[in-house]
Amino acid sequence: MRHRVDGRHLGRHTGQRLALYRSLMVSLLRHEKIQTTEAKAKEVAGMAHHLITLGKRGDLHARRQIIAAIGDESLAAKMIDVVGPKYKERQGGYTRITAVGRRVGDAAPMVVLELVN
């Protein structure tokens, strides 16, 4: 039974899955746009929303939580100094998912996940 089981497993063990999410979040926050599968994008979008909300808060505890989540102090500084103030007036909806078609090899639905302006 799948009662109260949340999130997508993506055919990976927990450590692999968390490393994938961290890598995708770092790429999204660094480049502000990534192309990935629909399932991965939907999982990472929620995590990115949480980190951007922490960046909006901008205090020391939020900075440490961002560093713990992504493991990059320079990117955490960017989140607090650049991205947080950019979305200060926005009450959510920091990302956009746009379908771009299907992948050639396995016909997986591909999307572009980007930060909105």
Side-chain angles (χ1 to χ4, degrees), residues 24-34 48 113-114:
L24 287 171
M25 279 192 299
V26 167
S27 295
L28 174 64
L29 297 174
R30 185 170 287 143
H31 303 292
E32 298 186 1
K33 180 189 280 192
I34 58 172
L113 175 63
E114 61 186 338

Side-chain angles (χ1 to χ4, degrees), residues 21-27 29-30 47 51 63-77 79:
Y21 291 158
R22 177 181 284 190
S23 173
L24 287 171
M25 279 192 299
V26 167
S27 295
L29 297 174
R30 185 170 287 143
M47 297 173 186
L51 292 181
R63 179 182 301 267
R64 288 178 175 166
Q65 285 180 308
I66 293 170
I67 292 170
I70 59 178
D72 187 352
E73 290 185 24
S74 63
L75 194 55
M79 291 291 300

Side-chain angles (χ1 to χ4, degrees), residues 88-100:
K88 201 64 169 176
E89 299 300 319
R90 195 174 183 98
Q91 296 297 313
Y94 310 119
T95 59
R96 175 185 302 127
I97 297 177
T98 308
V100 294

Side-chain angles (χ1 to χ4, degrees), residues 8 36-47 97 111 113:
R8 294 167 179 84
T36 184
T37 63
E38 183 180 11
K40 292 175 189 171
K42 286 181 177 181
E43 280 295 308
V44 171
M47 297 173 186
I97 297 177
V111 298
L113 175 63

Side-chain angles (χ1 to χ4, degrees), residues 49-61:
H49 283 226
H50 180 66
L51 292 181
I52 292 170
T53 302
L54 289 173
K56 284 172 57 175
R57 206 172 73 201
D59 57 356
L60 179 61
H61 184 53

